[in-house]
Amino acid sequence: MIQRKQTIFLLLALIATVVCLCLPLGWIEMKGMGASPILFNLALKDSVGNYDFAYCPLFVFMALASLLSLVTIFMFKNRRLQMRLCQLNLLMVCLWYALFAYYVFVSFKEMGTFHQELAACLPFVSAVFQWLAHRGILADEKLVKAADRIR
């Protein structure tokens, strides 16, 4: 049913991922002279306004996680598929964090010190809401199986 608590959790996860797509993830304090570039999910913006789109895989993973959250909300008639989509979304967020960690600890190490913004924590919030939704769907599935066993 669409009015269940897991729908609220999935909607909150969707909001967290969409907000993460729009806000900057952090900025790099350069070792030498120069202004600080800002990292977005789509690209790295330098002080002049040029964009380096080498970091767009972050955007792809987060956009897929957002789309998957939206699709999962409307799969309420098929609880097993909805649980699988929640697990897949958790995997997408984990892959996003792995790629983000690679960029921060390997790619930006030569450039300077990376300072994280609040938006970099939002995928974790989304993952928590996905996990809560998964637990709610699992509880509904157990309830339906118990009702079927009584009949």
Side-chain angles (χ1 to χ4, degrees), residues 107-126:
S107 294
F108 299 148
K109 203 59 154 176
E110 309 93 38
M111 297 171 75
T113 307
F114 183 78
H115 298 281
Q116 185 172 309
E117 294 283 335
L118 175 69
C121 300
L122 289 176
F124 177 74
V125 172
S126 173

Side-chain angles (χ1 to χ4, degrees), residues 27-56:
W27 54 280
I28 303 168
E29 183 179 344
M30 302 296 279
K31 287 183 180 176
M33 299 287 284
S36 302
I38 300 172
L39 177 68
F40 290 90
N41 271 304
L42 188 58
L44 183 70
K45 180 183 175 187
D46 63 7
S47 61
V48 182
N50 297 329
Y51 290 94
D52 181 11
F53 290 102
Y55 306 100
C56 70

Side-chain angles (χ1 to χ4, degrees), residues 10 70-83 85 137:
L10 290 169
L70 183 64
V71 168
T72 306
I73 290 172
F74 296 105
M75 291 291 157
F76 57 89
K77 290 184 180 181
N78 191 346
R79 285 178 300 279
R80 290 177 194 230
L81 177 62
Q82 199 175 27
M83 283 190 294
L85 290 176
I137 297 164

Side-chain angles (χ1 to χ4, degrees), residues 8-151:
I8 301 297
F9 292 141
L10 290 169
L11 186 62
L12 290 172
L14 173 66
I15 290 169
T17 54
V18 168
V19 168
C20 180
L21 281 172
C22 299
L23 294 178
L25 299 173
W27 54 280
I28 303 168
E29 183 179 344
M30 302 296 279
K31 287 183 180 176
M33 299 287 284
S36 302
I38 300 172
L39 177 68
F40 290 90
N41 271 304
L42 188 58
L44 183 70
K45 180 183 175 187
D46 63 7
S47 61
V48 182
N50 297 329
Y51 290 94
D52 181 11
F53 290 102
Y55 306 100
C56 70
L58 288 172
F59 179 80
V60 171
F61 280 120
M62 195 52 58
L64 286 175
S66 298
L67 184 64
L68 206 53
S69 290
L70 183 64
V71 168
T72 306
I73 290 172
F74 296 105
M75 291 291 157
F76 57 89
K77 290 184 180 181
N78 191 346
R79 285 178 300 279
R80 290 177 194 230
L81 177 62
Q82 199 175 27
M83 283 190 294
R84 294 284 182 202
L85 290 176
C86 282
Q87 291 170 346
L88 182 61
N89 205 341
L90 282 169
L91 177 67
M92 295 295 278
V93 170
C94 289
L95 290 174
W96 183 89
Y97 267 117
L99 191 60
F100 180 70
Y102 171 76
Y103 287 145
V104 169
F105 295 120
V106 176
S107 294
F108 299 148
K109 203 59 154 176
E110 309 93 38
M111 297 171 75
T113 307
F114 183 78
H115 298 281
Q116 185 172 309
E117 294 283 335
L118 175 69
C121 300
L122 289 176
F124 177 74
V125 172
S126 173
V128 169
F129 284 132
Q130 288 288 336
W131 178 73
L132 288 171
H134 183 267
R135 288 191 46 155
I137 297 164
L138 188 62
D140 279 355
E141 185 68 21
K142 287 181 182 178
L143 187 66
V144 168
K145 283 184 180 180
D148 285 346
R149 203 172 37 242
I150 292 172
R151 283 192 240 167

